[in-house]
Amino acid sequence: MDAQSKEVDALVQKITGLHAAIAKLPSLSPSPDVDALFTDLVTACAPPSPVDVTKLAPEAQAMREGLIRLCSEAEGKLEAHYSDMLAAFDNPLDHLGVFPYYSNYINLSKLEYELLARYVPGGIAPARVAFIGSGPLPFSSYVLAARHLPDTVFDNYDLCGAANDRASRLFRADKDVGARMSFHTADVADLTDELATYDVVFLAALVGMAAEDKAKVIAHLGAHMADGAALVVRSAHGARGFLYPIVDPQDIGRGGFEVLAVCHPDDDVVNSVIIAQKSNDVHEYGLGSGRGGRYARGTVVPVVSPPCRFGEMVADVTQKREEFAKAEVAF
């Protein structure tokens, strides 16, 4: 076994052990034990790795799929907990730093905005944006609205009515961003004509966790979004694919889009970002024809990797652990 294979094997064994420990937890609600295990998991998955999770053995694939579901459940409980905590303030938006990972959302949203501005032809000045899978802490929409898109209206969609109720409470005292935020309980599969009204659609990482489900969602968006509208898809790369689903850019092309850029950050931004644009060709050839969208405008998709900040990232993860432990949380 060569050195790279040994590295991958050791990583899979470590992740398998963490999955087993997480699966045994009596609850995934925030607690010191939950925080410690998920911090260890993120720390193990965040560094650059040669692992290709799509080529794992069947047993490891099943473990990974189960782990992503556990991550999704834990993330939902964590966000619901902090959304309730923030809602107790007179103006919740003045206290977003209470959430230990708020800075990650700031950095991810900044990256997405910069990629859109750089790679979408003509730049972006969207009048309306949809965020699919916004959850109880819609930090991405908030950061984009407050810091990058001051004139844009945001429609946030989530399957969970309770998540939308929690999210809407956070904006009750804000007359600017709050006036540009709305929340809708809906399955993306039920959205049709509405999708044609958006200049940009963001697709959260955990909407459609299985590859085939994600492809169906993207194809649905391709069938109903307006020509020229931009799509931002959150994915994962390397070992980070143990935390979030990986999206194949070719599935985006087959869904009726032209892939403009793919970014695999190697810092504290865990998600990869794919920027695409609805292709005019979809009307001529139809979805699923292999000609409805293109993998790229030319022969090569720009793959953008920010400079590695892993040393800073590890320090940041440690700091986040300490912040979480000190937070005023009723465990």
Side-chain angles (χ1 to χ4, degrees), residues 42-92:
V42 172
T43 302
C45 294
S49 170
V51 67
D52 183 347
V53 299
T54 66
K55 297 179 180 178
L56 295 173
E59 184 177 352
Q61 282 287 7
M63 178 276 293
R64 172 182 170 256
E65 292 170 3
L67 181 58
I68 289 175
R69 287 192 293 270
L70 290 171
C71 289
S72 175
E73 181 181 348
E75 185 173 307
K77 290 181 180 296
L78 180 70
E79 291 190 359
H81 180 89
Y82 274 93
S83 186
D84 290 342
M85 180 186 294
L86 286 165
F89 293 104
D90 290 337
N91 189 346

mmCIF file of all heavy atoms in Angstrom, residues 42-92:
data_model
loop_
_atom_site.group_PDB
_atom_site.id
_atom_site.type_symbol
_atom_site.label_atom_id
_atom_site.label_comp_id
_atom_site.label_asym_id
_atom_site.label_seq_id
_atom_site.Cartn_x
_atom_site.Cartn_y
_atom_site.Cartn_z
ATOM 1 N N VAL A 42 -15.077 17.786 12.208
ATOM 2 C CA VAL A 42 -14.732 18.864 11.282
ATOM 3 C C VAL A 42 -13.220 19.030 11.184
ATOM 4 O O VAL A 42 -12.672 19.226 10.091
ATOM 5 C CB VAL A 42 -15.405 20.184 11.719
ATOM 6 C CG1 VAL A 42 -14.899 21.353 10.865
ATOM 7 C CG2 VAL A 42 -16.919 20.083 11.606
ATOM 8 N N THR A 43 -12.533 18.924 12.305
ATOM 9 C CA THR A 43 -11.083 19.054 12.302
ATOM 10 C C THR A 43 -10.435 17.951 11.472
ATOM 11 O O THR A 43 -9.427 18.177 10.785
ATOM 12 C CB THR A 43 -10.539 19.011 13.744
ATOM 13 O OG1 THR A 43 -11.151 20.060 14.506
ATOM 14 C CG2 THR A 43 -9.038 19.204 13.770
ATOM 15 N N ALA A 44 -11.014 16.741 11.508
ATOM 16 C CA ALA A 44 -10.475 15.627 10.721
ATOM 17 C C ALA A 44 -10.762 15.791 9.235
ATOM 18 O O ALA A 44 -9.941 15.392 8.398
ATOM 19 C CB ALA A 44 -11.061 14.307 11.225
ATOM 20 N N CYS A 45 -11.909 16.376 8.897
ATOM 21 C CA CYS A 45 -12.332 16.447 7.501
ATOM 22 C C CYS A 45 -11.861 17.707 6.776
ATOM 23 O O CYS A 45 -11.840 17.736 5.545
ATOM 24 C CB CYS A 45 -13.863 16.376 7.415
ATOM 25 S SG CYS A 45 -14.560 14.796 7.947
ATOM 26 N N ALA A 46 -11.508 18.731 7.511
ATOM 27 C CA ALA A 46 -11.231 20.026 6.885
ATOM 28 C C ALA A 46 -9.931 20.093 6.087
ATOM 29 O O ALA A 46 -9.892 20.737 5.032
ATOM 30 C CB ALA A 46 -11.253 21.130 7.944
ATOM 31 N N PRO A 47 -8.833 19.459 6.516
ATOM 32 C CA PRO A 47 -7.578 19.621 5.762
ATOM 33 C C PRO A 47 -7.672 19.044 4.352
ATOM 34 O O PRO A 47 -8.469 18.125 4.102
ATOM 35 C CB PRO A 47 -6.563 18.825 6.600
ATOM 36 C CG PRO A 47 -7.172 18.692 7.950
ATOM 37 C CD PRO A 47 -8.643 18.642 7.730
ATOM 38 N N PRO A 48 -6.870 19.557 3.428
ATOM 39 C CA PRO A 48 -6.811 18.952 2.089
ATOM 40 C C PRO A 48 -6.493 17.469 2.192
ATOM 41 O O PRO A 48 -5.655 17.058 2.998
ATOM 42 C CB PRO A 48 -5.687 19.734 1.399
ATOM 43 C CG PRO A 48 -5.624 21.038 2.140
ATOM 44 C CD PRO A 48 -5.982 20.725 3.558
ATOM 45 N N SER A 49 -7.174 16.658 1.382
ATOM 46 C CA SER A 49 -7.001 15.211 1.467
ATOM 47 C C SER A 49 -7.105 14.598 0.079
ATOM 48 O O SER A 49 -7.881 15.068 -0.760
ATOM 49 C CB SER A 49 -8.084 14.608 2.372
ATOM 50 O OG SER A 49 -8.100 13.195 2.296
ATOM 51 N N PRO A 50 -6.359 13.524 -0.170
ATOM 52 C CA PRO A 50 -6.457 12.853 -1.468
ATOM 53 C C PRO A 50 -7.680 11.954 -1.598
ATOM 54 O O PRO A 50 -7.908 11.370 -2.650
ATOM 55 C CB PRO A 50 -5.163 12.028 -1.519
ATOM 56 C CG PRO A 50 -4.859 11.716 -0.096
ATOM 57 C CD PRO A 50 -5.292 12.934 0.672
ATOM 58 N N VAL A 51 -8.477 11.823 -0.550
ATOM 59 C CA VAL A 51 -9.612 10.903 -0.584
ATOM 60 C C VAL A 51 -10.650 11.353 -1.612
ATOM 61 O O VAL A 51 -10.938 12.544 -1.746
ATOM 62 C CB VAL A 51 -10.265 10.768 0.804
ATOM 63 C CG1 VAL A 51 -10.921 12.066 1.247
ATOM 64 C CG2 VAL A 51 -11.280 9.633 0.811
ATOM 65 N N ASP A 52 -11.179 10.403 -2.365
ATOM 66 C CA ASP A 52 -12.315 10.632 -3.256
ATOM 67 C C ASP A 52 -13.478 9.830 -2.682
ATOM 68 O O ASP A 52 -13.552 8.612 -2.843
ATOM 69 C CB ASP A 52 -11.991 10.167 -4.676
ATOM 70 C CG ASP A 52 -13.128 10.445 -5.660
ATOM 71 O OD1 ASP A 52 -14.250 10.758 -5.203
ATOM 72 O OD2 ASP A 52 -12.911 10.328 -6.881
ATOM 73 N N VAL A 53 -14.366 10.511 -1.974
ATOM 74 C CA VAL A 53 -15.417 9.797 -1.251
ATOM 75 C C VAL A 53 -16.397 9.106 -2.195
ATOM 76 O O VAL A 53 -17.131 8.207 -1.773
ATOM 77 C CB VAL A 53 -16.169 10.731 -0.286
ATOM 78 C CG1 VAL A 53 -15.223 11.316 0.758
ATOM 79 C CG2 VAL A 53 -16.891 11.840 -1.041
ATOM 80 N N THR A 54 -16.420 9.504 -3.450
ATOM 81 C CA THR A 54 -17.326 8.848 -4.405
ATOM 82 C C THR A 54 -16.812 7.469 -4.808
ATOM 83 O O THR A 54 -17.546 6.704 -5.435
ATOM 84 C CB THR A 54 -17.520 9.707 -5.668
ATOM 85 O OG1 THR A 54 -16.271 9.788 -6.379
ATOM 86 C CG2 THR A 54 -17.997 11.102 -5.308
ATOM 87 N N LYS A 55 -15.561 7.151 -4.450
ATOM 88 C CA LYS A 55 -14.973 5.868 -4.840
ATOM 89 C C LYS A 55 -14.717 4.962 -3.642
ATOM 90 O O LYS A 55 -13.970 3.988 -3.744
ATOM 91 C CB LYS A 55 -13.678 6.099 -5.616
ATOM 92 C CG LYS A 55 -13.890 6.841 -6.932
ATOM 93 C CD LYS A 55 -12.578 7.065 -7.670
ATOM 94 C CE LYS A 55 -12.815 7.802 -8.988
ATOM 95 N NZ LYS A 55 -11.544 8.068 -9.713
ATOM 96 N N LEU A 56 -15.337 5.267 -2.520
ATOM 97 C CA LEU A 56 -15.165 4.443 -1.341
ATOM 98 C C LEU A 56 -15.841 3.085 -1.529
ATOM 99 O O LEU A 56 -16.758 2.935 -2.334
ATOM 100 C CB LEU A 56 -15.763 5.140 -0.116
ATOM 101 C CG LEU A 56 -15.100 6.444 0.340
ATOM 102 C CD1 LEU A 56 -15.919 7.072 1.456
ATOM 103 C CD2 LEU A 56 -13.663 6.195 0.801
ATOM 104 N N ALA A 57 -15.393 2.111 -0.740
ATOM 105 C CA ALA A 57 -16.042 0.799 -0.745
ATOM 106 C C ALA A 57 -17.484 0.949 -0.265
ATOM 107 O O ALA A 57 -17.813 1.911 0.443
ATOM 108 C CB ALA A 57 -15.270 -0.152 0.169
ATOM 109 N N PRO A 58 -18.362 0.019 -0.636
ATOM 110 C CA PRO A 58 -19.788 0.138 -0.277
ATOM 111 C C PRO A 58 -20.041 0.359 1.213
ATOM 112 O O PRO A 58 -20.897 1.167 1.589
ATOM 113 C CB PRO A 58 -20.379 -1.191 -0.758
ATOM 114 C CG PRO A 58 -19.493 -1.594 -1.902
ATOM 115 C CD PRO A 58 -18.122 -1.145 -1.513
ATOM 116 N N GLU A 59 -19.289 -0.335 2.067
ATOM 117 C CA GLU A 59 -19.496 -0.175 3.510
ATOM 118 C C GLU A 59 -19.161 1.246 3.954
ATOM 119 O O GLU A 59 -19.879 1.855 4.751
ATOM 120 C CB GLU A 59 -18.634 -1.184 4.268
ATOM 121 C CG GLU A 59 -18.850 -1.161 5.774
ATOM 122 C CD GLU A 59 -18.030 -2.224 6.492
ATOM 123 O OE1 GLU A 59 -17.411 -3.070 5.800
ATOM 124 O OE2 GLU A 59 -18.001 -2.202 7.733
ATOM 125 N N ALA A 60 -18.068 1.780 3.435
ATOM 126 C CA ALA A 60 -17.682 3.150 3.777
ATOM 127 C C ALA A 60 -18.666 4.157 3.184
ATOM 128 O O ALA A 60 -18.946 5.196 3.801
ATOM 129 C CB ALA A 60 -16.263 3.432 3.288
ATOM 130 N N GLN A 61 -19.187 3.877 1.997
ATOM 131 C CA GLN A 61 -20.193 4.756 1.399
ATOM 132 C C GLN A 61 -21.433 4.819 2.269
ATOM 133 O O GLN A 61 -22.008 5.888 2.491
ATOM 134 C CB GLN A 61 -20.570 4.262 -0.005
ATOM 135 C CG GLN A 61 -19.566 4.592 -1.086
ATOM 136 C CD GLN A 61 -19.577 6.066 -1.472
ATOM 137 O OE1 GLN A 61 -20.240 6.892 -0.851
ATOM 138 N NE2 GLN A 61 -18.830 6.395 -2.509
ATOM 139 N N ALA A 62 -21.867 3.655 2.774
ATOM 140 C CA ALA A 62 -23.051 3.625 3.640
ATOM 141 C C ALA A 62 -22.790 4.408 4.928
ATOM 142 O O ALA A 62 -23.666 5.132 5.417
ATOM 143 C CB ALA A 62 -23.431 2.181 3.954
ATOM 144 N N MET A 63 -21.574 4.268 5.474
ATOM 145 C CA MET A 63 -21.212 5.032 6.661
ATOM 146 C C MET A 63 -21.274 6.518 6.386
ATOM 147 O O MET A 63 -21.814 7.301 7.175
ATOM 148 C CB MET A 63 -19.807 4.618 7.120
ATOM 149 C CG MET A 63 -19.268 5.367 8.341
ATOM 150 S SD MET A 63 -18.488 6.966 7.950
ATOM 151 C CE MET A 63 -17.040 6.422 7.017
ATOM 152 N N ARG A 64 -20.698 6.922 5.242
ATOM 153 C CA ARG A 64 -20.697 8.349 4.887
ATOM 154 C C ARG A 64 -22.109 8.896 4.749
ATOM 155 O O ARG A 64 -22.423 9.986 5.242
ATOM 156 C CB ARG A 64 -19.927 8.554 3.580
ATOM 157 C CG ARG A 64 -20.035 9.958 3.018
ATOM 158 C CD ARG A 64 -19.302 10.127 1.705
ATOM 159 N NE ARG A 64 -19.622 11.395 1.107
ATOM 160 C CZ ARG A 64 -20.437 11.577 0.072
ATOM 161 N NH1 ARG A 64 -21.014 10.533 -0.515
ATOM 162 N NH2 ARG A 64 -20.684 12.780 -0.394
ATOM 163 N N GLU A 65 -22.977 8.161 4.094
ATOM 164 C CA GLU A 65 -24.352 8.623 3.918
ATOM 165 C C GLU A 65 -25.054 8.784 5.267
ATOM 166 O O GLU A 65 -25.774 9.757 5.503
ATOM 167 C CB GLU A 65 -25.115 7.645 3.023
ATOM 168 C CG GLU A 65 -24.618 7.651 1.580
ATOM 169 C CD GLU A 65 -25.199 6.510 0.762
ATOM 170 O OE1 GLU A 65 -26.033 5.738 1.305
ATOM 171 O OE2 GLU A 65 -24.813 6.378 -0.426
ATOM 172 N N GLY A 66 -24.822 7.826 6.156
ATOM 173 C CA GLY A 66 -25.413 7.949 7.486
ATOM 174 C C GLY A 66 -24.836 9.112 8.261
ATOM 175 O O GLY A 66 -25.548 9.807 8.996
ATOM 176 N N LEU A 67 -23.540 9.361 8.096
ATOM 177 C CA LEU A 67 -22.886 10.459 8.796
ATOM 178 C C LEU A 67 -23.425 11.800 8.322
ATOM 179 O O LEU A 67 -23.666 12.704 9.140
ATOM 180 C CB LEU A 67 -21.375 10.383 8.582
ATOM 181 C CG LEU A 67 -20.533 11.454 9.287
ATOM 182 C CD1 LEU A 67 -20.755 11.421 10.789
ATOM 183 C CD2 LEU A 67 -19.051 11.261 8.951
ATOM 184 N N ILE A 68 -23.634 11.956 7.029
ATOM 185 C CA ILE A 68 -24.181 13.213 6.507
ATOM 186 C C ILE A 68 -25.574 13.461 7.071
ATOM 187 O O ILE A 68 -25.931 14.596 7.421
ATOM 188 C CB ILE A 68 -24.197 13.193 4.963
ATOM 189 C CG1 ILE A 68 -22.761 13.286 4.421
ATOM 190 C CG2 ILE A 68 -25.039 14.347 4.408
ATOM 191 C CD1 ILE A 68 -22.662 13.155 2.920
ATOM 192 N N ARG A 69 -26.368 12.396 7.209
ATOM 193 C CA ARG A 69 -27.702 12.567 7.797
ATOM 194 C C ARG A 69 -27.599 13.007 9.259
ATOM 195 O O ARG A 69 -28.365 13.870 9.712
ATOM 196 C CB ARG A 69 -28.498 11.269 7.679
ATOM 197 C CG ARG A 69 -28.974 10.973 6.258
ATOM 198 C CD ARG A 69 -29.992 9.848 6.241
ATOM 199 N NE ARG A 69 -29.393 8.571 6.617
ATOM 200 C CZ ARG A 69 -28.859 7.721 5.754
ATOM 201 N NH1 ARG A 69 -28.821 8.019 4.460
ATOM 202 N NH2 ARG A 69 -28.347 6.569 6.176
ATOM 203 N N LEU A 70 -26.640 12.424 9.990
ATOM 204 C CA LEU A 70 -26.447 12.832 11.381
ATOM 205 C C LEU A 70 -25.968 14.288 11.461
ATOM 206 O O LEU A 70 -26.414 15.049 12.325
ATOM 207 C CB LEU A 70 -25.426 11.913 12.053
ATOM 208 C CG LEU A 70 -25.878 10.473 12.320
ATOM 209 C CD1 LEU A 70 -24.695 9.627 12.777
ATOM 210 C CD2 LEU A 70 -26.994 10.442 13.357
ATOM 211 N N CYS A 71 -25.069 14.669 10.564
ATOM 212 C CA CYS A 71 -24.604 16.058 10.520
ATOM 213 C C CYS A 71 -25.757 17.011 10.248
ATOM 214 O O CYS A 71 -25.859 18.081 10.856
ATOM 215 C CB CYS A 71 -23.524 16.218 9.453
ATOM 216 S SG CYS A 71 -21.941 15.444 9.840
ATOM 217 N N SER A 72 -26.622 16.623 9.331
ATOM 218 C CA SER A 72 -27.772 17.455 8.995
ATOM 219 C C SER A 72 -28.694 17.634 10.198
ATOM 220 O O SER A 72 -29.145 18.751 10.501
ATOM 221 C CB SER A 72 -28.541 16.828 7.829
ATOM 222 O OG SER A 72 -29.722 17.554 7.553
ATOM 223 N N GLU A 73 -28.957 16.528 10.901
ATOM 224 C CA GLU A 73 -29.831 16.610 12.074
ATOM 225 C C GLU A 73 -29.210 17.471 13.169
ATOM 226 O O GLU A 73 -29.877 18.321 13.767
ATOM 227 C CB GLU A 73 -30.117 15.206 12.611
ATOM 228 C CG GLU A 73 -31.048 15.201 13.812
ATOM 229 C CD GLU A 73 -31.311 13.800 14.359
ATOM 230 O OE1 GLU A 73 -30.952 12.816 13.679
ATOM 231 O OE2 GLU A 73 -31.874 13.703 15.469
ATOM 232 N N ALA A 74 -27.919 17.267 13.416
ATOM 233 C CA ALA A 74 -27.246 18.039 14.454
ATOM 234 C C ALA A 74 -27.185 19.518 14.095
ATOM 235 O O ALA A 74 -27.374 20.392 14.965
ATOM 236 C CB ALA A 74 -25.839 17.493 14.676
ATOM 237 N N GLU A 75 -26.931 19.810 12.828
ATOM 238 C CA GLU A 75 -26.881 21.205 12.390
ATOM 239 C C GLU A 75 -28.236 21.875 12.581
ATOM 240 O O GLU A 75 -28.326 23.025 13.016
ATOM 241 C CB GLU A 75 -26.448 21.268 10.927
ATOM 242 C CG GLU A 75 -26.246 22.668 10.390
ATOM 243 C CD GLU A 75 -25.655 22.678 8.997
ATOM 244 O OE1 GLU A 75 -24.605 22.022 8.805
ATOM 245 O OE2 GLU A 75 -26.236 23.319 8.108
ATOM 246 N N GLY A 76 -29.312 21.149 12.254
ATOM 247 C CA GLY A 76 -30.646 21.705 12.441
ATOM 248 C C GLY A 76 -30.950 22.001 13.897
ATOM 249 O O GLY A 76 -31.524 23.051 14.234
ATOM 250 N N LYS A 77 -30.570 21.094 14.789
ATOM 251 C CA LYS A 77 -30.810 21.306 16.221
ATOM 252 C C LYS A 77 -29.965 22.450 16.753
ATOM 253 O O LYS A 77 -30.427 23.250 17.585
ATOM 254 C CB LYS A 77 -30.520 20.013 16.990
ATOM 255 C CG LYS A 77 -31.534 18.899 16.730
ATOM 256 C CD LYS A 77 -31.211 17.659 17.526
ATOM 257 C CE LYS A 77 -32.218 16.537 17.271
ATOM 258 N NZ LYS A 77 -33.572 16.894 17.730
ATOM 259 N N LEU A 78 -28.727 22.536 16.299
ATOM 260 C CA LEU A 78 -27.858 23.628 16.732
ATOM 261 C C LEU A 78 -28.429 24.978 16.294
ATOM 262 O O LEU A 78 -28.489 25.933 17.079
ATOM 263 C CB LEU A 78 -26.457 23.428 16.150
ATOM 264 C CG LEU A 78 -25.416 24.499 16.506
ATOM 265 C CD1 LEU A 78 -25.045 24.414 17.976
ATOM 266 C CD2 LEU A 78 -24.172 24.351 15.633
ATOM 267 N N GLU A 79 -28.847 25.065 15.044
ATOM 268 C CA GLU A 79 -29.377 26.327 14.532
ATOM 269 C C GLU A 79 -30.693 26.694 15.220
ATOM 270 O O GLU A 79 -30.933 27.872 15.515
ATOM 271 C CB GLU A 79 -29.561 26.239 13.022
ATOM 272 C CG GLU A 79 -28.244 26.184 12.265
ATOM 273 C CD GLU A 79 -28.419 26.333 10.772
ATOM 274 O OE1 GLU A 79 -29.579 26.459 10.313
ATOM 275 O OE2 GLU A 79 -27.407 26.319 10.049
ATOM 276 N N ALA A 80 -31.553 25.723 15.471
ATOM 277 C CA ALA A 80 -32.813 26.001 16.163
ATOM 278 C C ALA A 80 -32.542 26.525 17.574
ATOM 279 O O ALA A 80 -33.187 27.476 18.041
ATOM 280 C CB ALA A 80 -33.682 24.745 16.215
ATOM 281 N N HIS A 81 -31.583 25.913 18.248
ATOM 282 C CA HIS A 81 -31.236 26.332 19.609
ATOM 283 C C HIS A 81 -30.769 27.784 19.627
ATOM 284 O O HIS A 81 -31.227 28.589 20.454
ATOM 285 C CB HIS A 81 -30.152 25.422 20.165
ATOM 286 C CG HIS A 81 -29.730 25.770 21.563
ATOM 287 N ND1 HIS A 81 -30.340 25.244 22.675
ATOM 288 C CD2 HIS A 81 -28.782 26.628 22.024
ATOM 289 C CE1 HIS A 81 -29.779 25.749 23.768
ATOM 290 N NE2 HIS A 81 -28.826 26.585 23.390
ATOM 291 N N TYR A 82 -29.856 28.127 18.725
ATOM 292 C CA TYR A 82 -29.325 29.488 18.720
ATOM 293 C C TYR A 82 -30.331 30.490 18.171
ATOM 294 O O TYR A 82 -30.313 31.664 18.554
ATOM 295 C CB TYR A 82 -28.002 29.535 17.959
ATOM 296 C CG TYR A 82 -26.832 29.195 18.858
ATOM 297 C CD1 TYR A 82 -26.369 27.889 18.939
ATOM 298 C CD2 TYR A 82 -26.232 30.157 19.652
ATOM 299 C CE1 TYR A 82 -25.319 27.558 19.785
ATOM 300 C CE2 TYR A 82 -25.180 29.848 20.494
ATOM 301 C CZ TYR A 82 -24.731 28.545 20.564
ATOM 302 O OH TYR A 82 -23.699 28.223 21.419
ATOM 303 N N SER A 83 -31.201 30.063 17.300
ATOM 304 C CA SER A 83 -32.250 30.963 16.823
ATOM 305 C C SER A 83 -33.160 31.353 17.979
ATOM 306 O O SER A 83 -33.536 32.530 18.135
ATOM 307 C CB SER A 83 -33.052 30.286 15.709
ATOM 308 O OG SER A 83 -33.974 31.195 15.139
ATOM 309 N N ASP A 84 -33.516 30.387 18.828
ATOM 310 C CA ASP A 84 -34.340 30.689 20.008
ATOM 311 C C ASP A 84 -33.588 31.600 20.968
ATOM 312 O O ASP A 84 -34.177 32.525 21.559
ATOM 313 C CB ASP A 84 -34.726 29.392 20.725
ATOM 314 C CG ASP A 84 -35.725 28.555 19.933
ATOM 315 O OD1 ASP A 84 -36.372 29.106 19.013
ATOM 316 O OD2 ASP A 84 -35.851 27.353 20.237
ATOM 317 N N MET A 85 -32.292 31.368 21.130
ATOM 318 C CA MET A 85 -31.505 32.218 22.014
ATOM 319 C C MET A 85 -31.474 33.654 21.497
ATOM 320 O O MET A 85 -31.670 34.619 22.250
ATOM 321 C CB MET A 85 -30.083 31.666 22.120
ATOM 322 C CG MET A 85 -29.171 32.488 23.034
ATOM 323 S SD MET A 85 -27.449 31.907 22.991
ATOM 324 C CE MET A 85 -27.655 30.299 23.732
ATOM 325 N N LEU A 86 -31.244 33.819 20.207
ATOM 326 C CA LEU A 86 -31.187 35.161 19.625
ATOM 327 C C LEU A 86 -32.531 35.865 19.687
ATOM 328 O O LEU A 86 -32.597 37.090 19.872
ATOM 329 C CB LEU A 86 -30.700 35.067 18.172
ATOM 330 C CG LEU A 86 -29.214 34.778 17.986
ATOM 331 C CD1 LEU A 86 -28.919 34.355 16.542
ATOM 332 C CD2 LEU A 86 -28.382 35.998 18.354
ATOM 333 N N ALA A 87 -33.604 35.111 19.533
ATOM 334 C CA ALA A 87 -34.942 35.709 19.519
ATOM 335 C C ALA A 87 -35.286 36.365 20.856
ATOM 336 O O ALA A 87 -36.197 37.205 20.920
ATOM 337 C CB ALA A 87 -35.987 34.659 19.173
ATOM 338 N N ALA A 88 -34.576 36.010 21.932
ATOM 339 C CA ALA A 88 -34.850 36.594 23.242
ATOM 340 C C ALA A 88 -34.351 38.038 23.350
ATOM 341 O O ALA A 88 -34.784 38.773 24.245
ATOM 342 C CB ALA A 88 -34.210 35.745 24.341
ATOM 343 N N PHE A 89 -33.471 38.463 22.440
ATOM 344 C CA PHE A 89 -32.972 39.840 22.450
ATOM 345 C C PHE A 89 -33.985 40.778 21.800
ATOM 346 O O PHE A 89 -34.766 40.374 20.929
ATOM 347 C CB PHE A 89 -31.645 39.929 21.699
ATOM 348 C CG PHE A 89 -30.505 39.213 22.365
ATOM 349 C CD1 PHE A 89 -30.054 37.995 21.892
ATOM 350 C CD2 PHE A 89 -29.873 39.762 23.476
ATOM 351 C CE1 PHE A 89 -28.993 37.324 22.489
ATOM 352 C CE2 PHE A 89 -28.805 39.111 24.090
ATOM 353 C CZ PHE A 89 -28.372 37.888 23.602
ATOM 354 N N ASP A 90 -33.954 42.049 22.209
ATOM 355 C CA ASP A 90 -34.860 43.039 21.617
ATOM 356 C C ASP A 90 -34.602 43.165 20.120
ATOM 357 O O ASP A 90 -35.543 43.259 19.334
ATOM 358 C CB ASP A 90 -34.676 44.402 22.309
ATOM 359 C CG ASP A 90 -35.204 44.400 23.742
ATOM 360 O OD1 ASP A 90 -36.074 43.551 24.047
ATOM 361 O OD2 ASP A 90 -34.737 45.223 24.546
ATOM 362 N N ASN A 91 -33.335 43.222 19.731
ATOM 363 C CA ASN A 91 -32.977 43.215 18.309
ATOM 364 C C ASN A 91 -31.978 42.089 18.080
ATOM 365 O O ASN A 91 -30.775 42.263 18.278
ATOM 366 C CB ASN A 91 -32.379 44.541 17.870
ATOM 367 C CG ASN A 91 -32.207 44.598 16.344
ATOM 368 O OD1 ASN A 91 -32.285 43.577 15.661
ATOM 369 N ND2 ASN A 91 -31.962 45.785 15.811
ATOM 370 N N PRO A 92 -32.462 40.935 17.665
ATOM 371 C CA PRO A 92 -31.580 39.773 17.507
ATOM 372 C C PRO A 92 -30.394 40.022 16.588
ATOM 373 O O PRO A 92 -29.314 39.462 16.797
ATOM 374 C CB PRO A 92 -32.519 38.705 16.934
ATOM 375 C CG PRO A 92 -33.880 39.087 17.427
ATOM 376 C CD PRO A 92 -33.873 40.586 17.408
#
